[in-house]
Amino acid sequence: MRRRGVTVLLGALLTTLLSIGVLAAPIPYVVLGPGPTVNTLGTEDGKEVIQVTGRETSTSAGQLRLTTVGVQPSVKLRSAIQGWFSDDEAVVPRELVYPPGESREEVEERNAEDFKVSQTSAETAALRELGYPVQVVVKTVAGDGPSAGVLKPGDVVTSVDGQPVTAASRLTELIRAKPAGTALEIGYTRDGAAATAKITSREQDGRPRIGVEIDQQQPHPFTLTISLEDIGGPSAGLMFALGIVDKLTPEDLTGGRIIAGTGAIDDEGRIGPIGGIAQKLVGAKDAGATAFLVPADNCAEAVRNPQPGLPLLRVATLDEALTALETLRAGGEPARC
């Protein structure tokens, strides 16, 4: 009996130790949770998030808060089990966040670059909304290319076959929309005078081109700077764009409310989908938000993960986001997910 009792005791102890070891072992998953939110109209680390020099800015009684997702990159089984049973967290395969073949540092570097691009696109979209159009300017003309003798450095390309060129990416898109060898009618201005010319595209590197190097410019008589650290990815673009518009117009876009949101944005103000919408909704609710701007393509997921008392406002463009906020200020009901 004594020997049997010792055996049972040792077996129980061994099972316990093994269980502890298993629970403490790392697994190939990450835990996503609500990250910090930031008021783009406020300050962070003692600096204004959006800084404007050379022009007066307005103040707002409310807030426009960007939302983020916190990532726990090294997960043990115990944490994963807790995450699986949590309403605020999600446990996902590690490769969805850190693709195979890429180090954590490489992923973070790419996210930092995406964040910078989101700031640039937010500025471009907001300034376009404020009446400062983008100019696609010819930098150089290939001496033996299709545009030689037709376009010159400094020309502003305005259209292709009657379709307006609203951004550098749009010019590329319009040229590539038709096969190489197509005669394109290129609209441009030179020294303020409008003109058109026929230029036949030519294949280069497998794609139709017209033999020019271009630059995107957006002249405006003031300077914009976005100052925010330790955030990555493109999803802050929409809230940055709204913050810029708010600061440079007399209207208080918030109407005194705390408005949260998320969404990538391109130079033409189109809002793209993002990841982690469920966790961002939790973060927004915790920050006191009374409405959340949701990219149209994220609406289905947002509806599956609602937060009590947090309306989900569906937006696909910067114009739609501004309209939604205007409707809120007027006491109306903006379009919802």
Side-chain angles (χ1 to χ4, degrees), residues 19 61 87 137 157 176 182-183 332 337:
S19 297
D87 292 332
V137 181
V157 180
R176 292 179 180 176
T182 301
C337 286

Side-chain angles (χ1 to χ4, degrees), residues 129-216:
E129 188 69 35
L130 294 169
Y132 299 98
V134 168
Q135 296 180 353
V136 179
V137 181
V138 176
K139 285 178 63 179
T140 61
V141 179
D144 57 351
S147 297
V150 181
L151 296 179
K152 295 181 178 180
D155 289 347
V156 179
V157 180
T158 56
S159 65
V160 176
D161 288 339
Q163 298 294 312
V165 172
T166 52
S169 58
R170 180 60 174 161
L171 174 59
T172 301
E173 179 183 314
L174 290 170
I175 292 171
R176 292 179 180 176
K178 296 181 180 179
T182 301
L184 304 170
E185 184 174 74
I186 305 296
Y188 64 96
T189 61
R190 180 178 298 164
D191 298 327
T196 60
K198 287 286 187 181
I199 298 176
T200 300
S201 63
R202 186 182 303 168
E203 184 174 328
Q204 183 181 348
D205 299 326
R207 293 175 176 175
R209 302 177 186 272
I210 61 170
V212 296
E213 184 182 355
I214 56 175
D215 185 28
Q216 181 169 297

Side-chain angles (χ1 to χ4, degrees), residues 219-270:
H220 51 279
F222 51 86
T223 301
L224 276 173
T225 305
I226 295 176
S227 178
L228 192 58
E229 302 292 335
D230 300 326
I231 291 180
S235 65
L238 169 61
M239 302 312 288
F240 280 141
L242 290 173
I244 293 169
V245 173
D246 188 286
K247 279 181 168 282
L248 293 175
T249 55
E251 186 72 64
D252 179 352
L253 298 186
T254 71
R257 298 176 174 86
I258 299 177
I259 307 294
T262 187
I265 198 167
D266 67 13
D267 289 353
E268 299 187 72
R270 293 174 293 212

Side-chain angles (χ1 to χ4, degrees), residues 28 30 71 92-111 114:
V30 299
V71 180
V92 301
R94 182 180 177 83
E95 61 263 23
L96 293 182
V97 178
Y98 302 105
E102 288 189 64
S103 67
R104 179 178 167 185
E105 291 72 21
E106 289 172 330
V107 171
E108 291 176 351
E109 184 177 342
R110 185 179 69 247
N111 285 339
D114 288 343

